[in-house]
């Protein structure tokens, strides 16, 4: 008697850049995968945890979209019914601007059993790995995580709202809109607020630019920063070891 295989999807957050930042549960899911559909920002080292699985690249990058979201949804379902267990390996966390919930719902509507393994989001991990806390007593009681560019290609209206608060503001997918984004903060009277742009966080290619609302665009050009990057706006940025004000304090201490 042939055993019926239940088509299954596991959404796995791969974390950011460094393959060691995936969870143990994510590794276990990969080990029992029949098919792995993986994104552009996922370290291919992680595919070694699924040596017997079929690997399918479905990455999407700005200006280089290999697959439309609708096509990815259909691939998940077709591979699940043909192969059994599909792992959808996504950079960061699947539910933080990852469209993971859309994929999950689509799979459920088509009869798949669905599991979720959260991942480490770049929104908090990228600044943390640079020694920047997203909250700190006396500096920030909360933080916003906002997409820099909406699906219509416009700057998110939430940025102007966030700029009026005392919160740390973390912006993903925003480097191409850096001027408009910083204008929102300048209009809120925050021209001197510290800013960090962190590119390729946790990888050997990681770069960072430090400045303020009024000069961060110049810093970005000078440092040749681009996507994928995380923009952090707020007083917490001044706690980075190389933030200019900290360097000045170090010099004074040495002279003393």
């Amino acid at each position: 008697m042939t055993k019926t295989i239940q088509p299954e999807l596991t959404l796995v957050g791969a974390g950011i850049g460094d393959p060691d930042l995936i969870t143990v549960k994510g590794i276990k899911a990969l080990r029992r995968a029949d098919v792995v559909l993986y994104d552009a920002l996922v370290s291919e080292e992680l595919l070694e945890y699924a040596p017997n699985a079929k690997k399918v690249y479905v990455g999407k990058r700005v200006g280089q979209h290999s697959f439309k979201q609708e096509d990815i949804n259909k691939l998940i379902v077709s591979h699940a019914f043909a192969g059994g267990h599909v792992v959808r390996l996504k950079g960061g966390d699947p539910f933080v601007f990852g469209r993971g919930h859309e994929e999950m719902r689509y799979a459920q509507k088509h009869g798949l059993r669905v599991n979720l393994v959260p991942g480490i989001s770049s929104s908090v991990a990228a600044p943390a790995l640079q020694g920047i806390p997203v909250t700190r007593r006396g500096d920030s009681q909360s933080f916003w995580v906002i997409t820099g560019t909406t699906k219509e290609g416009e700057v998110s209206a939430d940025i102007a709202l966030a700029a009026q608060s005392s919160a740390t503001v973390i912006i993903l997918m925003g480097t191409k809109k850096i001027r408009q984004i910083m204008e929102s903060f300048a209009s809120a009277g925050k021209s001197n607020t510290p800013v960090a742009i962190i590119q390729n966080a946790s990888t050997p290619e990681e770069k960072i630019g430090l400045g303020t609302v009024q000069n961060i665009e110049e810093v970005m050009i000078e440092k040749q920063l681009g996507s994928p990057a995380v923009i952090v706006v707020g007083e917490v940025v001044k706690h980075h070891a190389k933030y200019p004000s900290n360097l000045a304090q170090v010099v004074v201490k040495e002279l003393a």
Side-chain angles (χ1 to χ4, degrees):
M1 183 176 179
T2 303
K3 183 178 179 181
T4 302
I5 298 175
Q6 168 71 45
E8 182 180 5
L9 165 68
T10 302
L11 287 165
V12 176
I16 63 166
D18 183 349
D20 288 346
L21 292 177
I22 192 172
T23 63
V24 173
K25 193 167 186 176
I27 292 172
K28 288 180 178 178
L30 284 168
R31 284 175 175 162
R32 67 181 189 86
D34 297 302
V35 182
V36 179
L37 304 183
Y38 65 101
D39 276 352
L41 297 180
V42 168
S43 171
E44 294 195 10
E45 287 184 41
L46 294 176
L47 301 179
E48 297 174 9
Y49 289 114
N52 301 316
K54 179 179 180 180
K55 286 86 171 179
V56 181
Y57 174 76
V58 292
K60 295 187 292 181
R61 296 293 295 272
V62 176
Q64 301 178 354
H65 287 201
S66 301
F67 288 87
K68 294 181 179 179
Q69 186 62 51
E70 295 77 10
D71 296 331
I72 295 174
N73 292 345
K74 292 175 182 177
L75 279 173
I76 290 171
V77 172
S78 62
H79 279 296
F81 277 100
H85 180 216
V86 172
V87 166
R88 178 73 173 97
L89 191 61
K90 303 173 75 70
D93 182 273
F95 277 20
V96 180
F97 303 123
R99 304 191 72 172
H101 192 262
E102 296 174 43
E103 295 175 0
M104 182 182 77
R105 289 300 188 206
Y106 186 91
Q108 288 175 327
K109 288 179 181 178
H110 287 79
L112 275 63
R113 183 172 60 210
V114 176
N115 314 296
L116 172 69
V117 181
I120 297 174
S121 171
S122 63
S123 59
V124 293
L129 291 170
Q130 281 287 339
I132 300 173
V134 295
T135 60
R136 192 177 192 278
R137 185 162 36 179
D139 289 324
S140 176
Q141 299 177 23
S142 60
F143 62 94
W144 294 54
V145 180
I146 308 173
T147 179
T149 309
T150 66
K151 64 179 181 180
E152 292 80 20
E154 303 296 328
V155 173
S156 172
D158 283 348
I159 290 174
L161 295 175
Q164 298 175 45
S165 75
S166 60
T168 302
V169 183
I170 300 157
I171 303 157
L172 308 182
M173 300 170 286
T175 55
K176 292 185 180 298
K177 303 285 187 180
I178 190 69
R179 179 171 299 178
Q180 298 97 308
I181 289 169
M182 291 303 116
E183 285 174 353
S184 292
F185 287 92
S187 296
K190 295 189 175 180
S191 295
N192 294 319
T193 298
V195 181
I197 299 180
I198 308 162
Q199 180 182 356
N200 293 319
S202 81
T203 73
E205 294 76 35
E206 179 172 305
K207 296 194 295 183
I208 185 171
L210 298 165
T212 62
V213 166
Q214 64 183 343
N215 73 358
I216 194 62
E217 183 180 5
E218 297 172 13
V219 171
M220 190 177 80
I221 294 171
E222 179 187 346
K223 300 277 188 181
Q224 298 183 333
L225 298 170
S227 61
V230 176
I231 303 168
V232 186
V233 185
E235 293 301 319
V236 293
V237 173
K238 69 187 179 185
H239 295 293
H240 188 280
K242 293 185 178 180
Y243 191 74
S245 62
N246 287 2
L247 287 178
Q249 292 171 9
V250 171
V251 171
V252 170
K253 289 180 180 178
E254 289 179 345
L255 291 175

